[in-house]
Amino acid sequence: MSVLIYKQRHRHPNRKDTPGANYAHVRYIATRPGVMKNNCMEHGLFGKMQPGGLECFSDWRDVAKKAYAAAKQGHIMYRSVVSFARQTAKELLLEDQKSWQKYIENHILTIAGKNNIRREDLKWAAAVHDEKAHPHIHVVFWDSSSRVRSPFTPPQIPDAIRKQMIKDTFSEKILAFAQEKGAAVRELRQITDEFVAQFENVLRCRILGKYRNTGRELGEELETDVAFSEEMLQEFARRMESFRRGLPEHGRLSYQLLAPQDKARTDELAEFLLAEVPELRYYFDRYVEAKCKMASLYASDGAAHEKQGERFMQEAKKILGNRVLAGVKMLNRLEQEAKTAEYRESRREYYASIILMEALDMLAQAARREEDGYSACVDNKGELSRDARKELFLKNQDKGYEH
């Protein structure tokens, strides 16, 4: 069982790009691939923008606009995430969106209270990302009152939130742990932060590497601002439509099976995205760097490294190309639905952003997978022979991630 992971970030309210970045973050958590969607909707955003019951928002843009306006007025929008290992989530019965909604409703006032936000002033929205290894829930929240807030959050605040949520979430397990330790803890109110730390450390030591990697990935998610410009989305949608019309109408759409001229057009579209979307370029470069590092563990020839680097770049383009082709399949399917041409035209930029999010997600996962493989290989370097390291490298060889 993994410990509960809680992370919290925010952007300084004086930065000019903060309103747009907050808007982009709401879009990201609401529409990212893997989000647990609201019933009959294309996103998974829910929460409370006014007193009353929890609401599954009909349009994530309404919340994003509120976050944008709040930032313009100087309010700080906090980004937080709560994560568990898959097995722990199952033990807590967090297996669908409704159960996650109930869980975060039970703990949102802990998060707000530790940040000194009163119940009546709290605005919040959340979305669940059903990651295979670490399902988690993103929560954005802000204080709607006119009180002036410090733009800095001491690390003690998220740490206190994590400890209190561990107390409330694992109270029975902590009390059982106390009995094993012979401690005189009989009620939840007697559980101290020091005792929670002991409980947490025992669990964390069992899967330290996974805990560290998950924490890193979630931290990166909170920092990522995927703010696609309207101009770029329009141009990508236009290029995508032209690209789609030039592909064969029948047969399997796979980069590996494309005709040479279609591969060239796919690579051209990938080059456009890498030039226009910094986040894609960032994970593209991380993927290539991780692959080169892995290769260097069993080969020392400089010329061979350069040649392999070119091959790894092509692998990364193949990953990106296959995600674009998956987007083509989606567009082809949607075109067959009973929708008017005007409707499809109005949705082109939305679908373009979805395709970009999926491409970014796939490339980021590929980069992290290669980095983790390299770290594992380095950790075992003294125990593995050169042939064994080569075998491990080939085992993790990219296959294009065709999905």
Side-chain angles (χ1 to χ4, degrees):
M1 182 183 69
S2 172
V3 289
L4 177 153
I5 296 177
Y6 178 82
K7 288 185 173 293
Q8 180 177 306
R9 303 277 194 278
H10 68 272
R11 292 177 69 90
H12 198 290
N14 290 343
R15 292 180 58 172
K16 292 183 179 179
D17 64 343
T18 292
N22 287 350
Y23 184 102
H25 187 72
V26 172
R27 172 174 60 186
Y28 173 77
I29 68 172
T31 63
R32 178 185 183 271
V35 67
M36 289 184 178
K37 295 181 180 180
N38 298 340
N39 189 32
C40 299
M41 297 184 192
E42 295 175 329
H43 69 89
L45 204 64
F46 58 88
K48 291 185 182 181
M49 289 291 115
Q50 57 190 9
L54 184 143
E55 178 184 1
C56 290
F57 303 111
S58 59
D59 193 335
W60 62 264
R61 296 172 185 82
D62 295 338
V63 178
K65 289 175 183 177
K66 286 182 171 65
Y68 183 95
K72 281 287 190 181
Q73 296 168 6
H75 297 288
I76 300 172
M77 187 189 85
Y78 298 93
R79 310 172 180 186
S80 66
V81 62
V82 182
S83 175
F84 301 100
R86 172 65 65 178
Q87 182 59 36
T88 307
K90 286 183 178 181
E91 291 176 6
L92 296 172
L93 303 180
L94 298 175
E95 298 182 333
D96 55 25
Q97 192 194 47
K98 290 296 182 184
S99 58
W100 278 97
Q101 288 176 356
K102 183 178 180 180
Y103 179 83
I104 200 62
E105 261 201 297
N106 289 338
H107 297 278
I108 189 65
L109 292 183
T110 294
I111 295 173
K114 298 293 185 181
N115 281 283
N116 196 29
I117 300 176
R118 295 177 301 203
R119 179 199 296 258
E120 60 269 25
D121 298 325
L122 175 65
K123 308 288 185 184
W124 68 275
V128 182
H129 293 175
D130 193 25
E131 287 284 343
K132 181 178 181 180
H134 53 277
H136 55 274
I137 183 168
H138 283 268
V139 186
V140 297
F141 60 96
W142 63 90
D143 184 346
S144 62
S145 73
S146 58
R147 290 181 299 162
V148 177
R149 299 186 62 86
S150 170
F152 303 102
T153 300
Q156 293 87 347
I157 288 179
D159 188 53
I161 292 171
R162 189 188 78 255
K163 288 178 179 178
Q164 186 59 51
M165 290 185 72
I166 289 175
K167 288 182 186 180
D168 297 337
T169 302
F170 301 106
S171 57
E172 292 183 4
K173 291 184 178 294
I174 293 176
L175 293 174
F177 175 72
Q179 291 179 344
E180 292 178 7
K181 302 288 288 185
V185 179
R186 297 291 180 266
E187 299 179 13
L188 182 61
R189 61 184 177 83
Q190 295 178 317
I191 299 175
T192 64
D193 286 349
E194 290 77 12
F195 201 83
V196 168
Q198 292 180 37
F199 172 75
E200 186 180 14
N201 286 334
V202 169
L203 297 181
R204 186 185 301 181
C205 288
R206 297 176 187 171
I207 50 171
L208 181 58
K210 183 181 292 186
Y211 180 88
R212 185 188 302 118
N213 290 338
T214 298
R216 181 197 67 197
E217 292 178 16
L218 294 174
E220 288 179 356
E221 276 202 60
L222 290 176
E223 299 294 345
T224 299
D225 294 319
V226 191
F228 308 128
S229 70
E230 293 301 320
E231 295 78 8
M232 192 282 297
L233 282 177
Q234 290 173 5
E235 178 62 16
F236 175 53
R238 185 190 68 78
R239 290 183 180 228
M240 187 74 177
E241 186 66 16
S242 174
F243 171 73
R244 184 168 72 97
R245 296 302 179 191
L247 291 174
E249 294 183 6
H250 305 287
R252 182 180 171 191
L253 282 180
S254 167
Y255 185 91
Q256 193 68 26
L257 301 178
L258 291 176
Q261 65 271 20
D262 292 328
K263 279 187 179 180
R265 294 176 64 238
T266 306
D267 289 343
E268 182 180 345
L269 190 56
E271 289 288 357
F272 166 77
L273 293 177
L274 290 171
E276 296 294 328
V277 185
E279 294 85 5
L280 279 174
R281 169 58 69 176
Y282 170 70
Y283 285 110
F284 179 92
D285 291 341
R286 274 181 56 174
Y287 176 86
V288 174
E289 182 182 4
K291 296 284 284 190
C292 288
K293 284 182 177 179
M294 179 72 84
S296 69
L297 292 177
Y298 69 89
S300 57
D301 188 342
H305 283 178
E306 184 176 351
K307 185 176 180 181
Q308 287 176 330
E310 294 174 359
R311 180 162 61 87
F312 298 148
M313 290 182 67
Q314 190 57 39
E315 283 184 5
K317 286 182 183 177
K318 183 179 175 183
I319 295 172
L320 190 52
N322 269 325
R323 297 319 294 175
V324 170
L325 291 171
V328 168
K329 295 176 188 177
M330 177 186 72
L331 294 176
N332 289 341
R333 184 182 70 254
L334 291 169
E335 191 172 66
Q336 296 172 1
E337 295 180 356
K339 301 292 185 184
T340 65
E342 291 78 11
Y343 178 85
R344 291 196 300 271
E345 182 72 19
S346 68
R347 303 290 281 171
R348 278 176 57 182
E349 292 177 27
Y350 172 75
Y351 292 129
S353 68
I354 292 297
I355 292 167
L356 284 173
M357 293 289 262
E358 290 180 346
L360 177 61
D361 187 60
M362 177 56 72
L363 205 52
Q365 287 187 42
R368 290 165 181 159
R369 188 157 40 240
E370 296 303 328
E371 289 170 343
D372 290 344
Y374 172 74
S375 297
C377 202
V378 169
D379 290 343
N380 295 315
K381 188 174 180 181
E383 303 173 11
L384 297 176
S385 66
R386 175 175 170 177
D387 288 342
R389 292 198 301 272
K390 183 174 181 179
E391 182 180 351
L392 178 61
F393 171 76
L394 294 175
K395 179 181 178 181
N396 294 323
Q397 190 93 300
D398 169 68
K399 302 300 180 184
Y401 297 95
E402 180 188 342
H403 296 294

